[in-house]
Amino acid sequence: MLSIYPTFTNFLKAQCPKCFRFQRYVTRKRFYRCTGIIQNENKWEVTLDQRRLKTPNGRVLLVNSEPLARAIAAEWDAQTDTIAQPTMHLTTLCNTALDNPGKLTVHDIANYLLDYFPTDTLLFHSEEEELRALQEKKWIPVLEWFQKRFGVKLEISKGLEPPPVTTETRAVLARHFLSYDFTALNAICFGVEALKSPLLMLACIERHLEPKEAVLLARLEEEFQLIRWGRVPWAHELNQAELSSRVAAALLVVQCSTEKHSTTVKTPAREQAMN
């Protein structure tokens, strides 16, 4: 994929440079013994030794889903003698959504994703014959599924320039992205940055692909080169596991947010039907 557009990280940094004082975490010793969750009206909080977990800006970390709260608590419970915050993806996603350091809106994120789309990894096929054949074998089925699922037409890049994306396709994707709330869109961006592919992230959200499958497809060229030239026994597997964990965390936040939103929307309709 061509690095034509800035990453979401750079986009956020441009909006709020001060928020990146949290980018380099100082290692902290574990200061709590146990974790838990408590219900606060229709939301859930995470506790560390009965103390409420807070965001970097001092807000109580509130989520709309009990499973998500339990997952965040498990993330903190899994820490050993030191707290490895860069690996706590669920906590990071929820902190960012609540604090919104860049003061972004859902339209800002949707526009970013639309601009990212022409640089999707799956739209750039290699000129090397053997690699191109592998990409067509692995990527074309995903592209065909995507076009059928969203009713759009995609073009493959014929060179170094991004392929054109029609106004109709942008409109369809814009409506889809704007159907998510801010928390879900923030998580989608996190997953897209890991995979370098909005296509693969949406395929995961639609449960067409598992996170590990999406990561392998995103790293297809790298895997091809590793087979040819060899790999470091542990380093590449570690990178693959890290990417898979990022995508899985993003998916959990999206799914919990989507399920909560669906329940909220459907409940008034049921009550109106009963009356």
Side-chain angles (χ1 to χ4, degrees), residues 1 81 92 137 205 239 251:
M1 186 197 73
D81 293 337
T92 299
K137 178 182 177 181
I205 293 171
N239 181 49
L251 283 173

Side-chain angles (χ1 to χ4, degrees), residues 14-268:
Q15 297 291 323
C16 182
K18 291 183 179 179
C19 72
F20 276 76
R21 66 182 182 274
F22 300 112
Q23 188 173 15
R24 295 183 178 179
Y25 294 96
V26 177
T27 302
R28 291 191 297 166
K29 290 186 176 180
R30 178 165 173 159
F31 56 88
Y32 55 92
R33 297 182 60 186
C34 61
T35 64
I37 65 170
I38 56 174
Q39 188 169 8
N40 184 347
E41 296 182 353
N42 62 337
K43 294 183 182 292
W44 296 83
E45 300 178 18
V46 178
T47 61
L48 307 177
D49 290 341
Q50 308 302 318
R51 289 174 292 187
R52 305 154 90 187
L53 181 62
K54 296 186 178 181
T55 70
N57 283 357
R59 301 182 61 179
V60 174
L61 195 150
L62 286 169
V63 295
N64 293 327
S65 165
E66 180 182 358
L68 179 56
R70 291 189 181 280
I72 295 171
E75 196 172 58
W76 283 86
D77 196 45
Q79 302 305 302
T80 55
D81 293 337
T82 58
I83 301 173
Q85 286 186 280
T87 67
M88 301 172 72
H89 305 311
L90 293 173
T91 302
T92 299
L93 285 169
C94 293
N95 283 343
T96 304
L98 287 168
D99 285 347
N100 189 13
K103 306 303 179 186
L104 304 176
T105 67
V106 291
H107 292 279
D108 293 328
I109 302 179
N111 286 331
Y112 168 80
L113 290 170
L114 291 173
D115 289 341
Y116 197 111
F117 198 85
T119 69
D120 193 294
T121 298
L122 272 62
L123 300 182
F124 291 84
H125 292 191
S126 175
E127 296 181 355
E128 184 180 351
E129 185 175 349
E130 188 177 353
L131 176 55
R132 185 181 185 87
L134 179 61
Q135 290 171 333
E136 290 176 349
K137 178 182 177 181
K138 297 293 186 179
W139 289 352
I140 293 299
V142 179
L143 292 171
E144 290 176 345
W145 166 85
F146 186 88
Q147 292 178 105
K148 183 178 179 180
R149 164 63 181 83
F150 291 96
V152 298
K153 293 291 184 181
L154 301 177
E155 294 186 30
I156 304 299
S157 175
K158 294 181 172 60
L160 298 178
E161 292 296 321
V165 177
T166 65
T167 304
E168 292 78 10
T169 297
R170 283 183 64 93
V172 169
L173 293 174
R175 285 194 297 271
H176 183 74
F177 287 137
L178 290 174
S179 70
Y180 295 99
D181 63 13
F182 183 85
T183 300
L185 276 176
N186 176 65
I188 289 172
C189 277
F190 187 77
V192 166
E193 286 295 331
L195 295 169
K196 303 294 184 263
S197 171
L199 278 161
L200 289 175
M201 187 60 195
L202 288 174
C204 288
I205 293 171
E206 296 287 325
R207 303 185 182 183
H208 180 71
L209 293 174
E210 295 291 330
K212 287 184 179 180
E213 294 175 307
V215 169
L216 286 174
L217 290 173
R219 300 177 69 247
L220 192 62
E221 182 176 355
E222 183 178 348
E223 288 296 320
F224 176 82
Q225 300 297 342
L226 291 174
I227 292 172
R228 174 176 290 182
W229 304 108
R231 66 175 69 228
V232 178
W234 56 269
H236 297 103
E237 284 76 7
L238 185 63
N239 181 49
Q240 183 174 329
E242 167 64 12
L243 290 178
S244 296
S245 70
R246 285 174 174 266
V247 176
L251 283 173
L252 179 59
V253 173
V254 171
Q255 289 170 2
C256 288
S257 177
T258 303
E259 289 171 2
K260 178 66 178 179
H261 177 70
S262 298
T263 302
T264 304
V265 170
K266 290 177 181 178
T267 299

